[in-house]
Amino acid sequence: MSRLYYSRKRVMVTGGAGFLGSHLIDRLLAEGHDVLCVDNLFTGSRDNLVEAAKNPNFEFMRHDVTWPLYVEVDEIWNLACPASPIHYQHDPVQTTKTSVHGAINMLGLAKRLGARIFQASTSEVYGDPHVHPQPEGYWGNVNPIGPRSCYDEGKRCAETLFFDYHRQHGLDIKVARIFNTYGPRMHPADGRVVSNFVMQALKGEPITIYGDGSQTRSFCFVDDLIEGFLRFMKAPAEVTGPMNLGNPSEFTILELAEMAIRLTGSGSTIVRQPLPADDPKQRQPDIALARKALGWQPTVPLEQGLERTIAYFKQFT
């Protein structure tokens, strides 16, 4: 038999119909694996899986990870959870349940199967940081009872569960802390800053900035992030993370708005609104660990990535 047969794995991706999950599935299929996509389609979309669905090695299952799942797989990627404030604040109790119950169910499955499991955590575990840029050793500054807490604390609890399963049961885990990521297949109405600015610019609407626009973010193009995912998952078992994955190039929100206007050729103006509660003033990853352990760093500049994102969003205007 071919080497491909022996290297092929049956891989499960929860949240696979989402922005990141669908890009990950495309790469896994390209590597020759059998891929099971599990998604309840709360924020994901079958439209993101059009190409994947043409592949005979792809299978879709509609399922909510807050309920147990009994399947046979070699590897688990847990990406299931709404990731934008407008979506995760819609039903905050369900968001917390997805992070916590979902983690428990997927960890239990991984334990039964002896499978390596990847957790898509978030830079939001750092809250509104007092340390800049944020290294993995920083414990964060998070409000446990605010409107963003369902996501922030849900993801923090999920990390706790992953490392307790690792220590108590010897589970093979990978925990990635994902910083702001953008690119094709973002939901045009997800409320995140890139999609907001691009859609407003394409429609010629005023671009809404919250606060004075001096708050910073670091934007990683989706292709770069998925490459980091794959390298991390293939790293030796002792490389558990948590590991920051994101682009350390820092931009103010005002700079992003001005770039969106310029690249779309828009006549949009900029308007300001009050800053939302618990909105972080700074966000920039320290990726020294990823550089050392994975030989990984982003390669797509913001302007180039935005051009590709704008081309995708034009279909919605």
Side-chain angles (χ1 to χ4, degrees):
M1 293 189 178
S2 69
R3 180 178 296 179
L4 176 62
Y5 176 84
Y6 286 111
S7 62
R8 177 185 291 175
K9 289 180 287 192
R10 180 153 171 77
V11 179
M12 182 174 74
V13 180
T14 70
F19 165 46
L20 297 181
S22 63
H23 282 278
L24 173 62
I25 284 172
D26 286 348
R27 285 290 302 271
L28 291 169
L29 289 170
E31 291 187 354
H33 302 303
D34 293 324
V35 178
L36 171 62
C37 171
V38 174
D39 204 301
N40 68 354
L41 300 179
F42 174 62
T43 58
S45 171
R46 289 182 185 270
D47 292 342
N48 292 334
L49 301 169
V50 169
E51 291 304 314
K54 298 175 184 177
N55 192 310
N57 295 333
F58 173 80
E59 181 182 355
F60 177 82
M61 176 187 294
R62 188 161 186 169
H63 180 83
D64 187 327
V65 296
T66 61
W67 296 92
L69 180 62
Y70 303 98
V71 294
E72 301 298 320
V73 293
D74 305 306
E75 188 174 277
I76 299 169
W77 299 75
N78 187 37
L79 276 65
C81 189
S84 70
I86 196 171
H87 289 148
Y88 67 63
Q89 291 174 358
H90 172 72
D91 188 344
V93 172
Q94 184 64 23
T95 295
T96 303
K97 288 172 66 177
T98 300
S99 288
V100 178
H101 291 187
I104 290 170
N105 288 330
M106 293 305 107
L107 286 163
L109 178 62
K111 177 173 175 270
R112 179 177 72 81
L113 299 172
R116 176 170 286 188
I117 182 169
F118 177 99
Q119 167 67 2
S121 190
T122 173
S123 62
E124 296 299 328
V125 300
Y126 298 121
D128 189 4
H130 293 157
V131 174
H132 191 74
Q134 293 82 56
E136 290 87 353
Y138 176 53
W139 291 353
N141 174 44
V142 178
N143 177 359
I145 58 170
R148 302 168 67 101
S149 304
C150 57
Y151 185 69
D152 303 357
E153 295 287 38
K155 289 289 191 178
R156 284 164 68 96
C157 185
E159 286 197 11
T160 300
L161 287 162
F162 266 72
F163 279 90
D164 282 339
Y165 266 80
H166 174 65
R167 286 184 289 260
Q168 187 172 339
H169 302 295
L171 203 63
D172 190 353
I173 66 167
K174 305 288 181 183
V175 176
R177 290 176 176 167
I178 303 166
F179 283 68
N180 291 66
T181 305
Y182 69 100
R185 299 184 194 161
M186 291 185 79
H187 195 291
D190 70 2
R192 285 187 275 197
V193 66
V194 171
S195 49
N196 279 356
F197 287 1
V198 170
M199 289 301 294
Q200 288 170 338
L202 285 172
K203 294 177 179 179
E205 298 173 350
I207 290 185
T208 307
I209 286 181
Y210 296 95
D212 63 6
S214 64
Q215 63 269 40
T216 66
R217 296 293 184 271
S218 304
F219 302 100
C220 185
F221 190 63
V222 62
D223 291 358
D224 281 333
L225 185 77
I226 299 304
E227 177 64 26
F229 278 13
L230 294 169
R231 293 192 189 192
F232 189 13
M233 197 62 152
K234 294 171 184 174
E238 62 268 19
V239 183
T240 60
M243 185 180 294
N244 290 339
L245 292 177
N247 194 322
S249 298
E250 190 178 17
F251 293 85
T252 67
I253 296 301
L254 181 59
E255 287 174 327
L256 178 69
E258 291 170 342
M259 191 179 296
I261 291 171
R262 176 170 56 83
L263 293 178
T264 57
S266 176
S268 294
T269 57
I270 293 174
V271 297
R272 288 171 168 79
Q273 297 287 342
L275 200 64
D278 300 328
D279 191 60
K281 290 180 284 294
Q282 293 178 306
R283 182 72 85 233
Q284 181 189 20
D286 180 332
I287 62 167
L289 178 59
R291 285 192 176 109
K292 179 179 179 182
L294 310 180
W296 175 87
Q297 64 181 15
T299 61
V300 179
L302 179 59
E303 184 162 328
Q304 180 184 329
L306 274 180
E307 288 174 342
R308 293 168 64 180
T309 306
I310 289 166
Y312 172 79
F313 276 132
K314 283 181 177 177
Q315 68 182 297
F316 301 109
T317 59

